[in-house]
Amino acid sequence: MRFINNQSPDKIAEVIEAGTTQFTAQCYELYELPPLGSLVKTGDIYGIVANATTAGLEPGRKPIARGRDEASEEAVYRSSPQLTKLLRSEFTAVVVGYKDGENLRQYLPPNPARIHAFVYLCPPGEVREFSQTFGFLNILANAALPAPTDELIAAALRRMSPAHEDSRAFLVSAGKELAALLSSQYDQLKSILGRLTS
Amino acid sequence: MNQENRLGIVTEASLDKGVEVRLDIPVSVEDMVVGRYVTIEGQKRRFFGMITDVSLGVTDPRLTVTPPDVADPFIAEVLTGTSTFGTIHVSPQLTIGGDAGSLLEGPQPVKTIPGHFSAVNLASERDMELVFGKEDPQRFNIGNPLDMELKLCLNLEEFVKRSNGIFGKSGTGKTFLTRILLIGMLQKSQAVNLIFDMHNEYGWAGTSESGPPVKALKQLFQSKVAVFTLDEENSRRRGVSTDFVVKIGYDEIEPEDIVLLRQTLNLTEPAVEAVYQLRRRLGKSWLQNSLDIEGTEDTRSLLDELSIHESTFQNLKRGLATIRRLPFIEPHAPVDAVKRILDHLDRGISVVLEFGRYRDITAYVLVANMLARRIYAQYQERTEKAMAEGTAPPNPLVITIEEAHKFLNPEVASQTIFGTIAREMRKYNVSLLVIDQRPSGIDSEVMSQMGTKITCLLDNERDIDSVLAGVSGKSELKSVLARLAPKQQALIFGHAVPMPVAFQPVAYDTKFYASLTSPGRSGVEQVEKDIEELWE
Ligand SMILES: Nc1ncnc2c1ncn2[C@@H]1O[C@H](COP(=O)(O)OP(=O)(O)O)[C@@H](O)[C@H]1O
Ligand SMILES: [Mg+2]
């Protein structure tokens, strides 16, 4: 674990591709991906993790199978320590808002993130603050996403709920917001709600 | 605004069809009852409206096709008020402008609608008081609006300015309500009452299905009420001290009285015509003389001369004999009942005329019509005289009749004194309070002249239609009327109230007696006496 300074939480990744509606970041550690639906932040911009991949460094070349003679999966990595350098984990986040001075905006920022900008996983306090309002649900519902919308919305809400003292109440209000948003798409609403209860 | 009373927001409205209100999430449709009042906070004015329908809505029709799993409390909670929601339909009745000037003007008729998403609240007691007013020298508490603690006050000085009607099926509380209104009039208006009390319920005591007899007018207002009777023995047996025993002389009965009895006496049309001829020919004692006519030469020539057929005459004679058999009918009454009644009315004393055992409709129609006709004639003469000479007119008089359709059905309404009074709108200081369980039997023109109508539950479609004929928002009031409780709930609308309101009449009990203060007995004494009675 490396610390930039005492105030910041751990940075987990770095922006390698940035657009108005989403950005892609490469994780510093292989497999240390933020979970699907996590709220992340880079600069002033907030994103929700919408997709993740782990692949070889060189585009177009796939790794080859190496475990035939190994006893366990860990052993594969142990016998070829260079592997962790040849593979990388990346994720894409959908931009859901930004901080405009003191104000939290749940709509698209004027400019995209910068390449090499650090990406952080938002701590619970910030998640709570961000999810006081539900404007981001509208962005998610309408974004062109790499993962199915229903899955992503449900994942985001599930991840946010523990940050709230009364997580059920949080899910109920979010559900109501969705009911309004998807007032004429009952099937979709039903599918999301079904993924919120456990 | 009080958040507790908030119900929802306006989503649709038209002057024609009323206002649709979407209920807020915490508001349960099951708490919304038809007939309650709400206020709508428009931008420039407040609207008062009555809830006339309650319904459920869904945002997506697929919800009703494949209902969600509401056994899951989470799903149920999320969907309630969002994808599935309650709505109420409100019929606006009045508006009050927001600025100081219009506040002074008071409630005005509705000429516009509230804007989109105006907030809707349950009307508070203050709101209702603003519209109906507080108890005061003219206003009498007749009950409370449905589901409200508030006292609903009726301006009785306004009420008695027109003829009014009380309707409802049998057993819904008409008699009790009438007694409450009569007490109100005794206390809060200048009017005196003449009550044709068919079932002996208004004079001294009234019966109650659910307990001991209740006090009636004279027990509560000794000095302002006199009880007259047609059946002295019966009154005495019931322990009623009466002020006068009414006897009717043959010579007081006029052809007009017979017209009303055509059906009850089974008279033919020609028989009724014959009455007029006989009256013209035989003068005041026509009834006695007609009955005395025997089959002699003389009489046959008389009947020939008047071209009255023998069978017609026999038909008439049978009818007149029925009248003559009424025990209170005498060849000549020793004291003029009309004069006695007028004496009392002039002194500001209301008169209840008990019918004792003579409850059959012949007696009731005959006596009520005859006395009212002559009293009215006196009022007419005196009012005209007062106008000509600039002196005080006689005390305003309210005549109460039951079974009103017997007097006011389309066949006879144009010929009877009650039809005249109802149509004249108190021209000669006389108005009616009619009580009926079959209002569809009353002539529609008479119904339309009634100032204020109070109706308990009615279930016959034609009765409901006749009571609500000509009222704006009829179909909506109809749904309120049809859903009143079978007892002790009523809808009042018309001249004396700013807007229609469903209400529960005050409970007629010792507490009610105690709330009345009658001259002669101090309030405190009365309360003490009534509390004593509670323990009897
Ligand atoms: N305001 C009231 N207070 C107390 N009891 C009432 C009241 N109204 C009606 N009732 C009860 O309902 C019964 C029927 O009422 P009543 O006035 O006789 O009905 P109606 O005249 O319509 O046939 C009464 O006997 C009484 O027990
Ligand atoms: Mg009755």
Side-chain angles (χ1 to χ4, degrees):
Chain A
M1 294 276 142
R2 289 160 297 183
F3 291 92
I4 307 291
N5 58 44
N6 294 337
Q7 276 105 54
S8 290
D10 300 348
K11 60 180 193 240
I12 56 166
E14 196 172 308
V15 176
I16 54 168
E17 201 182 328
T20 301
T21 57
Q22 36 183 260
F23 58 85
T24 303
Q26 183 185 338
C27 292
Y28 290 120
E29 302 292 335
L30 184 64
Y31 297 128
E32 296 219 340
L33 287 161
L36 184 72
S38 307
L39 184 67
V40 294
K41 189 179 179 185
T42 175
D44 290 332
I45 297 176
Y46 288 99
I48 282 184
V49 177
N51 194 36
T53 54
T54 297
L57 262 181
E58 283 178 61
R61 278 188 61 189
K62 286 182 192 153
I64 51 168
R66 292 167 185 267
R68 175 184 286 274
D69 301 321
E70 302 287 357
S72 69
E73 288 176 17
E74 284 79 47
V76 176
Y77 287 87
R78 262 198 311 271
S79 346
S80 319
Q82 78 282 11
L83 267 184
T84 50
K85 300 281 178 254
L86 294 174
L87 295 173
R88 59 173 173 182
S89 294
E90 285 176 20
F91 65 88
T92 302
V94 182
V95 176
V96 288
Y98 67 104
K99 201 129 196 188
D100 178 7
E102 278 305 291
N103 302 313
L104 234 166
R105 310 282 186 206
Q106 296 199 352
Y107 46 77
L108 295 179
N111 295 302
R114 293 158 56 110
I115 302 297
H116 298 305
F118 299 157
V119 181
Y120 304 89
L121 194 58
C122 293
E126 197 165 7
V127 171
R128 187 163 56 238
E129 192 197 345
F130 184 83
S131 52
Q132 294 300 326
T133 56
F134 294 108
F136 66 92
L137 290 175
N138 188 30
I139 304 183
L140 290 179
N142 293 307
L145 298 169
T149 312
D150 303 358
E151 292 285 352
L152 184 62
I153 292 178
L157 291 173
R158 277 196 313 263
R159 290 212 61 79
M160 286 171 172
S161 64
H164 291 264
E165 207 168 304
D166 185 346
S167 41
R168 184 174 188 278
F170 166 77
L171 288 176
V172 168
S173 355
K176 285 186 182 293
E177 189 72 25
L178 284 169
L181 206 60
L182 304 172
S183 61
S184 55
Q185 287 130 271
Y186 170 59
D187 296 338
Q188 194 181 1
L189 174 67
K190 198 162 122 184
S191 129
I192 299 176
L193 294 182
R195 287 169 166 76
L196 290 180
T197 44
S198 43
Chain B
M1 246 297 81
N2 190 348
Q3 280 301 311
E4 233 174 274
N5 283 336
R6 178 164 157 127
L7 296 181
I9 52 168
V10 172
T11 51
E12 271 180 67
S14 87
L15 259 184
D16 227 23
K17 299 200 186 73
V19 178
E20 285 300 323
V21 177
R22 177 145 168 184
L23 295 177
D24 284 350
I25 292 160
V27 179
S28 163
V29 276
E30 292 171 24
D31 290 337
M32 298 295 103
V33 289
V34 174
R36 276 212 76 164
Y37 262 95
V38 301
T39 56
I40 305 173
E41 312 294 327
Q43 270 180 10
K44 299 199 176 137
R45 62 195 89 230
R46 302 179 73 199
F47 294 75
F48 282 83
M50 191 191 257
I51 301 180
T52 53
D53 199 3
V54 186
S55 50
L56 294 175
V58 291
T59 49
D60 185 339
R62 268 171 293 181
L63 263 157
T64 53
V65 182
T66 42
D69 177 15
V70 286
D72 180 337
F74 173 73
I75 304 267
E77 199 176 337
V78 168
L79 296 185
T80 309
T82 52
S83 303
T84 62
F85 50 88
T87 57
I88 53 176
H89 185 84
V90 172
S91 148
Q93 302 286 346
L94 286 178
T95 59
I96 296 184
D99 51 63
S102 24
L103 269 179
L104 279 180
E105 266 176 21
Q108 299 293 315
V110 177
K111 295 204 183 82
T112 181
I113 50 171
H116 257 120
F117 314 127
S118 302
V120 179
N121 299 295
L122 268 185
S124 68
E125 313 211 327
R126 242 201 102 247
D127 294 330
M128 294 299 272
E129 205 173 88
L130 200 65
V131 174
F132 288 97
K134 277 195 220 211
E135 232 175 331
D136 66 15
Q138 271 116 48
R139 287 186 172 82
F140 185 70
N141 170 27
I142 57 169
N144 49 285
L146 288 193
D147 292 311
M148 291 186 99
E149 296 290 314
L150 174 84
K151 288 181 176 177
L152 178 69
C153 297
L154 178 65
N155 185 329
L156 285 165
E157 205 53 81
E158 251 345 283
F159 184 74
V160 299
K161 280 186 184 157
R162 307 271 293 266
S163 287
N164 304 302
I166 295 178
F167 309 104
K169 300 200 296 176
S170 170
T172 50
K174 295 184 296 299
T175 300
F176 274 64
L177 192 52
T178 306
R179 216 164 15 222
I180 292 166
L181 287 169
L182 290 169
I183 288 171
M185 287 187 239
L186 287 175
Q187 286 213 305
K188 307 270 179 163
S189 79
Q190 301 302 314
V192 284
N193 291 278
L194 170 60
I195 300 145
F196 292 107
D197 185 4
M198 189 171 191
H199 304 288
N200 315 314
E201 291 167 307
Y202 300 104
W204 183 254
T207 53
S208 169
E209 285 168 10
S210 63
V214 295
K215 292 187 186 187
L217 303 183
K218 184 152 184 188
Q219 265 193 83
L220 297 167
F221 298 93
Q222 296 277 0
S223 60
K224 288 180 117 183
V225 180
V227 178
F228 285 24
T229 185
L230 279 171
D231 186 352
E232 189 181 15
E233 192 193 324
N234 176 271
S235 296
R236 200 182 314 119
R237 198 146 18 85
R238 282 183 291 111
V240 181
S241 69
T242 50
D243 298 79
F244 183 70
V245 179
V246 173
K247 297 282 178 206
I248 306 266
Y250 296 164
D251 50 356
E252 295 171 51
I253 297 172
E254 292 288 340
E256 202 210 288
D257 303 318
I258 307 298
V259 173
L260 268 186
L261 293 170
R262 192 179 81 75
Q263 279 183 338
T264 25
L265 294 181
N266 259 324
L267 297 179
T268 60
E269 285 289 356
V272 175
E273 304 239 319
V275 171
Y276 283 99
Q277 285 169 304
L278 289 165
R279 168 70 173 87
R280 265 196 302 275
R281 182 62 179 262
L282 302 172
K284 254 177 99 66
S285 40
W286 68 276
L287 194 146
Q288 176 78 52
N289 290 350
S290 305
L291 282 167
D292 290 345
I293 290 174
E294 297 298 336
T296 61
E297 276 302 313
D298 281 3
T299 43
R300 208 157 301 129
S301 66
L302 172 69
L303 294 182
D304 280 349
E305 192 185 319
L306 297 172
S307 40
I308 298 172
H309 202 271
E310 176 63 25
S311 64
T312 300
F313 185 65
Q314 288 309 324
N315 173 260
L316 176 60
K317 242 179 127 170
R318 273 191 299 277
L320 296 182
T322 308
I323 293 180
R324 190 162 63 170
R325 276 196 300 275
L326 292 170
F328 50 83
I329 302 265
E330 292 178 350
H332 183 77
V335 188
D336 184 2
V338 169
K339 192 170 170 309
R340 271 303 168 90
I341 293 173
L342 282 168
D343 283 348
H344 281 81
L345 300 180
D346 287 343
R347 282 185 285 140
I349 296 173
S350 293
V351 174
V352 179
L353 175 57
E354 296 193 337
F355 280 68
R357 281 163 300 174
Y358 313 131
R359 296 175 177 202
D360 77 85
I361 198 70
T362 311
Y364 190 67
V365 168
L366 177 71
V367 172
N369 193 58
M370 214 202 71
L371 294 178
R373 177 167 45 75
R374 293 174 55 207
I375 288 166
Y376 180 76
Q378 289 284 317
Y379 258 72
Q380 180 170 2
E381 196 184 307
R382 293 207 231 154
T383 312
E384 278 167 353
K385 192 158 167 253
M387 270 190 321
E389 295 171 8
T391 53
N395 289 329
L397 170 63
V398 177
I399 302 180
T400 299
I401 46 167
E402 301 189 70
E403 304 284 343
H405 65 272
K406 298 280 183 199
F407 304 91
L408 295 168
N409 64 60
E411 198 186 322
V412 299
S414 59
Q415 300 162 55
T416 68
I417 185 59
F418 294 109
T420 310
I421 298 173
R423 279 191 306 270
E424 279 181 347
M425 290 174 59
R426 213 172 79 156
K427 189 163 152 200
Y428 298 113
N429 254 358
V430 183
S431 63
L432 297 181
L433 179 60
V434 306
I435 306 166
D436 207 311
Q437 51 180 311
R438 251 198 58 207
S440 61
I442 298 177
D443 183 54
S444 60
E445 199 206 324
V446 170
M447 281 301 271
S448 72
Q449 292 297 328
M450 271 170 204
T452 309
K453 291 175 194 152
I454 307 181
T455 174
C456 303
L457 182 67
L458 285 169
D459 51 12
N460 179 301
E461 196 70 17
R462 288 178 50 223
D463 288 333
I464 295 177
D465 281 338
S466 83
V467 167
L468 295 176
V471 183
S472 80
K474 176 178 170 185
S475 66
E476 289 159 322
L477 287 180
K478 203 165 161 174
S479 75
V480 175
L481 172 52
R483 282 167 189 80
L484 291 175
K487 200 177 267 190
Q488 292 186 53
Q489 283 192 359
L491 177 70
I492 180 169
F493 56 94
H495 177 75
V497 283
M499 58 190 187
V501 61
F503 71 103
Q504 174 152 34
V506 289
Y508 198 93
D509 54 15
T510 39
K511 205 169 136 233
F512 174 67
Y513 308 151
S515 72
L516 307 169
T517 42
S518 66
R521 271 204 279 167
S522 83
V524 178
E525 264 171 32
Q526 180 151 359
V527 172
E528 277 168 7
K529 188 165 176 288
D530 287 319
I531 289 176
E532 231 174 76
E533 275 171 22
L534 265 175
W535 306 110
E536 272 175 8

